[in-house]
Amino acid sequence: MMVTAMNVKELIHYATLAPSGHNTQPWKFSIDDNVIRVIPDFERRLPVVDPDDHALYISLGCALENLMIAAKRHGLSSTIDYFPPDEKSECLRITLSPNGDPGDEDLFDAIHVRQSNRSLYDKNEIPEGHIHKLIESNIFDTVFLKSFDPNKQASEPIINLVKEANRIQFNDRQFVEELLSWIRFTKKEMNNRKDGLTAEVMGFPFVPRWLGRLILKTFAKPESEASKSEKQIRSSSLLMLFISKKHDKRHWVDLGRSFERVALTATSLGLAHAHLNMPCEVESVRNKLSSHLELDHDKQPLLFIRFGYAEERPRSPRRPAEEVIMQSDTR
Ligand SMILES: Cc1cc2nc3c(=O)[nH]c(=O)nc-3n(C[C@H](O)[C@H](O)[C@H](O)COP(=O)(O)O)c2cc1C
């Protein structure tokens, strides 16, 4: 199969369906024949919750993995150069070539269906074979997965760390302001921006921004948020921690790729998932988590995910491919 402009744009569409912290979609793309570059968009950073940008690079890794799964499904193979020094700006460079290997249909089909589902789950047990499939879908030896049963005593210290981090974050005015700035309270805001966390995704109705801010500031208090997280955890069937071998850009991208593969596998098995990253986001709590798990110095727990069964939720918006593709000479 030839690599055409048409299918390159389609591949970028699949990349844009990837998850990202606060749905910032911190990516841009450029195309040169059979080369696609995934470029970090630092205007979409989250300086309060993600000061070292590790979540930004994890999100880029998720987009990269979607792109590669879609390329394979379109009969294309891809090689990746991580941050090649000969480029004008920092990027992940993907070179496509015809291949013929049809790729993984289940993962590809799940790209459109996957979503972060913040509702309460139904506590039903996940078959052992499905847990194995989730673990096996991580193909990176730089990423370690640790699973926990939320209803076993061994998970209690970790649940307490989630709550501790929740309290710290919701006591921090800058954290709350940053979060509020990414909430799209009205349909108009959602349709104009096509990013961020919409009211309906967060579980409340569309309301004017001033009212939404007031409601959140009144009700999203440290203790109520901690107790909400606890309820969400206790309704889940499985918890999984994603641990990076090292704390640098390349490892963060690979952790994102690994997470996306696990999330797509979960989706293909009918499992819902959502993030509980608070203990990974607050550095002091992350250190406590690492000590509790007796992780070596370099290793970093960066994503904490719950899995279970739940009804589908409203979808998060995305900017279309045309809005995130740059002209090569404007990079
Ligand atoms: C690196 C990363 C960090 C995230 N952190 C959180 C989080 O702390 N809490 C949360 O509810 N969702 C979190 N998410 C999920 C995003 O909010 C979600 O992907 C985004 O809103 C788009 O929605 P979707 O996943 O349903 O497509 C995170 C996602 C990524 C990739």
Side-chain angles (χ1 to χ4, degrees):
M1 183 192 219
M2 289 285 292
V3 183
T4 64
M6 189 61 195
N7 57 39
V8 168
K9 196 169 150 197
E10 205 182 325
L11 299 184
I12 292 176
H13 161 70
Y14 288 107
T16 65
L17 299 179
S20 58
H22 289 5
N23 197 23
T24 54
Q25 306 166 38
W27 43 62
K28 296 185 268 187
F29 300 84
S30 79
I31 307 170
D32 272 313
D33 301 325
N34 62 334
V35 171
I36 304 178
R37 296 177 192 82
V38 184
I39 303 159
D41 184 347
F42 293 113
E43 287 178 18
R44 293 176 165 268
R45 303 182 60 233
L46 295 170
V48 180
V49 75
D50 184 30
D52 61 10
D53 291 327
H54 73 259
L56 185 149
Y57 286 95
I58 291 174
S59 306
L60 287 189
C62 296
L64 173 65
E65 192 60 24
N66 274 8
L67 205 155
M68 294 188 60
I69 292 168
K72 216 167 174 194
R73 212 41 212 145
H74 285 66
L76 299 168
S77 71
S78 36
T79 52
I80 308 173
D81 293 306
Y82 287 74
F83 312 115
D86 57 330
E87 289 285 346
K88 271 194 280 183
S89 52
E90 186 183 281
C91 69
L92 302 160
R93 186 171 64 202
I94 300 122
T95 308
L96 300 166
S97 50
N99 177 346
D101 172 354
D104 190 322
E105 194 177 331
D106 288 345
L107 290 188
F108 176 72
D109 289 347
I111 293 178
H112 262 290
V113 186
R114 185 212 57 77
Q115 65 172 181
S116 304
N117 187 324
R118 296 174 179 82
S119 58
L120 290 179
Y121 300 168
D122 71 5
K123 294 186 189 178
N124 275 344
E125 208 173 309
I126 304 176
E128 201 57 41
H130 288 188
I131 297 179
H132 278 131
K133 277 197 172 172
L134 294 182
I135 293 169
E136 280 164 13
S137 56
N138 167 36
I139 52 170
F140 297 93
D141 59 9
T142 53
V143 182
F144 307 100
L145 307 186
K146 254 186 184 301
S147 317
F148 306 89
D149 180 337
N151 298 306
K152 289 267 161 70
Q153 193 57 32
S155 299
E156 292 306 313
I158 296 171
I159 296 175
N160 284 333
L161 290 175
V162 171
K163 292 168 71 183
E164 181 179 338
N166 243 164
R167 290 188 196 101
I168 293 174
Q169 289 184 324
F170 278 86
N171 262 317
D172 176 352
R173 213 155 49 92
Q174 286 184 316
F175 169 86
V176 174
E177 280 304 324
E178 184 176 76
L179 176 63
L180 286 169
S181 74
W182 284 96
I183 297 182
R184 307 298 171 233
F185 287 104
T186 64
K187 275 195 180 158
K188 194 171 167 200
E189 282 180 5
M190 173 179 81
N191 294 333
N192 285 348
R193 302 287 296 268
K194 304 183 210 80
D195 63 8
L197 303 161
T198 66
E200 54 179 1
V201 161
M202 301 285 282
F204 50 87
F206 286 112
V207 287
R209 170 160 283 270
W210 67 267
L211 182 58
R213 280 182 65 92
L214 185 68
I215 293 173
L216 260 148
K217 287 194 156 188
T218 311
F219 293 106
K221 294 289 184 202
E223 212 41 60
S224 59
E225 287 300 307
S227 121
K228 189 166 96 189
S229 296
E230 180 171 2
K231 282 197 191 107
Q232 288 172 332
I233 294 174
R234 297 203 189 280
S235 78
S236 305
S237 312
L238 177 74
L239 306 173
M240 199 181 275
L241 192 61
F242 287 70
I243 301 163
S244 174
K245 190 174 176 185
K246 288 212 173 107
H247 208 38
D248 62 33
K249 284 191 280 193
R250 179 172 177 140
H251 285 83
W252 298 333
V253 169
D254 280 346
L255 189 127
R257 295 184 61 190
S258 157
F259 162 62
E260 184 63 356
R261 295 182 67 81
V262 174
L264 292 174
T265 303
T267 305
S268 75
L269 297 171
L271 277 168
H273 72 276
H275 292 252
L276 291 163
N277 296 332
M278 315 78 174
C280 308
E281 290 166 349
V282 179
E283 202 178 337
S284 59
V285 182
R286 186 161 81 225
N287 292 338
K288 285 190 193 174
L289 182 60
S290 298
S291 312
H292 173 70
L293 299 171
E294 297 179 359
L295 300 182
D296 299 344
H297 177 65
D298 277 352
K299 288 190 186 161
Q300 295 287 328
L302 295 182
L303 290 182
F304 192 40
I305 308 294
R306 65 187 178 103
F307 297 91
Y309 297 96
E311 295 292 318
E312 194 184 325
R313 299 276 309 142
R315 302 214 147 254
S316 278
R318 289 296 191 280
R319 291 171 301 152
E322 305 83 65
E323 283 188 28
V324 291
I325 298 175
M326 317 163 64
Q327 298 308 317
S328 297
D329 50 7
T330 61
R331 274 188 295 129

